[in-house]
Amino acid sequence: KNHRVYDVIEGKSEALIGARIRSYPDRMRVKVVCMDLSSPYRSLVQRCFPNAKIVADRFHVIKLVLSTFMEFCREMQPEIRWKRHITGSLRTHNANLTSVQRATLKEFLAANPIIESAYNFKEKLCKLLNNKKKTKIQCIPLIRELKKCMDQMRTEATRHFHSLADTLSKWFEPIIRMWRFSKNNGITEGFHRKIKGIQRRGYGYRNFQNYKLRVLVAFRYKVWACPIPAVENGGVFGIRERKKYSIAQ
């Protein structure tokens, strides 16, 4: 809500992060936790924030769909690995293609009907997952459509899409909550980029406390006033891990 870093934790093990999060006051009042598709962190969130709803981060869900599709394309046509004008067009949403990209893609798909079928399915699935701010009633047909897509991946597609269907099934509830909630991990990813800049400018830090203070000050956190970060009522908690440090937003 306030777009600030609450804490920086040394290490990324479940035990270490869990112990630190349990020390936060008012953690029981957190209502929403937005996260990527990490099963270990999901179990951690369920234990530490029992009253919160887990919402999958839309960016990571779409990224999983695109990576699965591109892996399939590279297996069908290995030579496209060195043709960035084609791979770029395949990744880009159809509505965002330029006239040149659209012509390139049309020519490529005409010569590869199997990839064309997978491309059309990818576009359909991404469009479905990109729905936002829907009511409970509006989500019912979307849920049915998503289940239909998952069944289609299991029965009609290759092994790549079988794995995708399994992942979507494991994360089904957090994924369908994306349609109800507008929350995402965008601000956390932005924090992460800025923190990496701090690490590069300092050529790394041996002293973790020095590193932590620099991060907190960079995000205008009053470190002298709040030794233990408080989670606001109804706040959103995002978890992001990088190398040997974890940040909580």
Side-chain angles (χ1 to χ4, degrees), residues 69 85-94 97-117 119-120 123:
F69 169 69
H85 62 293
I86 295 178
T87 56
S89 300
L90 288 169
R91 287 193 185 97
T92 306
H93 192 281
N94 189 268
L97 290 171
T98 65
S99 57
V100 175
Q101 287 177 318
R102 199 176 298 276
T104 301
L105 184 61
K106 184 178 180 180
E107 181 181 355
F108 175 77
L109 294 179
N112 299 275
I114 297 178
I115 294 180
E116 181 180 17
S117 177
Y119 175 81
N120 292 334
E123 287 292 304

Side-chain angles (χ1 to χ4, degrees), residues 17-246:
I17 297 175
R20 182 61 175 171
I21 290 177
R22 291 187 189 95
S23 70
Y24 295 165
D26 299 328
R27 64 183 174 88
M28 295 297 181
R29 298 166 69 181
V30 174
K31 295 182 178 179
V32 177
V33 176
C34 185
M35 61 183 300
D36 57 13
L37 307 182
S38 171
S39 296
Y41 279 117
R42 178 167 65 167
S43 61
L44 176 66
V45 168
Q46 290 171 337
R47 292 194 302 270
C48 295
F49 302 104
N51 300 324
K53 298 290 186 182
I54 297 177
V55 181
D57 182 51
R58 192 184 312 275
F59 169 80
H60 289 92
V61 177
I62 297 296
K63 181 182 178 181
L64 177 64
V65 175
L66 292 179
S67 62
T68 301
F69 169 69
M70 293 307 301
E71 184 181 353
F72 168 78
C73 291
R74 284 190 288 267
E75 185 171 298
M76 293 295 104
Q77 290 289 341
E79 63 274 11
I80 69 170
R81 293 175 182 270
W82 299 276
K83 298 180 180 180
R84 293 191 177 183
H85 62 293
I86 295 178
T87 56
S89 300
L90 288 169
R91 287 193 185 97
T92 306
H93 192 281
N94 189 268
N96 298 328
L97 290 171
T98 65
S99 57
V100 175
Q101 287 177 318
R102 199 176 298 276
T104 301
L105 184 61
K106 184 178 180 180
E107 181 181 355
F108 175 77
L109 294 179
N112 299 275
I114 297 178
I115 294 180
E116 181 180 17
S117 177
Y119 175 81
N120 292 334
F121 180 81
K122 182 266 293 184
E123 287 292 304
K124 174 184 175 182
L125 184 57
C126 288
K127 183 178 180 181
L128 176 64
L129 294 172
N130 271 317
N131 281 284
K132 303 175 184 178
K133 299 181 180 179
K134 300 295 182 180
T135 64
K136 291 182 180 180
I137 301 299
Q138 290 173 328
C139 286
I140 293 175
L142 298 179
I143 292 173
R144 291 173 181 165
E145 186 65 25
L146 181 57
K147 288 183 176 180
K148 183 179 177 181
C149 289
M150 291 164 59
D151 291 338
Q152 187 177 352
M153 283 188 280
R154 290 191 177 101
T155 58
E156 302 177 14
T158 62
R159 59 179 177 83
H160 307 88
F161 291 94
H162 294 172
S163 177
L164 174 60
D166 291 340
T167 302
L168 294 180
S169 178
K170 292 177 183 177
W171 287 84
F172 190 76
E173 287 189 12
I175 287 174
I176 63 177
R177 288 191 186 116
M178 296 190 310
W179 300 328
R180 294 278 288 133
F181 295 92
S182 60
K183 305 299 182 183
N184 60 68
N185 259 7
I187 185 63
T188 308
E189 297 294 338
F191 288 162
H192 199 241
R193 181 179 179 85
K194 191 171 182 179
I195 288 172
K196 287 196 294 185
I198 294 173
Q199 289 178 328
R200 283 194 294 267
R201 287 194 296 272
Y203 295 95
Y205 292 91
R206 294 183 179 181
N207 188 309
F208 173 73
Q209 290 302 322
N210 181 20
Y211 167 78
K212 179 178 179 178
L213 288 175
R214 287 177 181 272
V215 171
L216 295 178
V217 170
F219 292 99
R220 301 176 184 177
Y221 186 86
K222 296 180 180 179
V223 295
W224 58 86
C226 299
I228 300 179
V231 180
E232 296 183 359
N233 183 24
V236 178
F237 198 90
I239 295 178
R240 183 67 162 86
E241 55 103 349
R242 173 69 179 177
K243 293 183 179 178
K244 61 178 180 178
Y245 302 131
S246 301

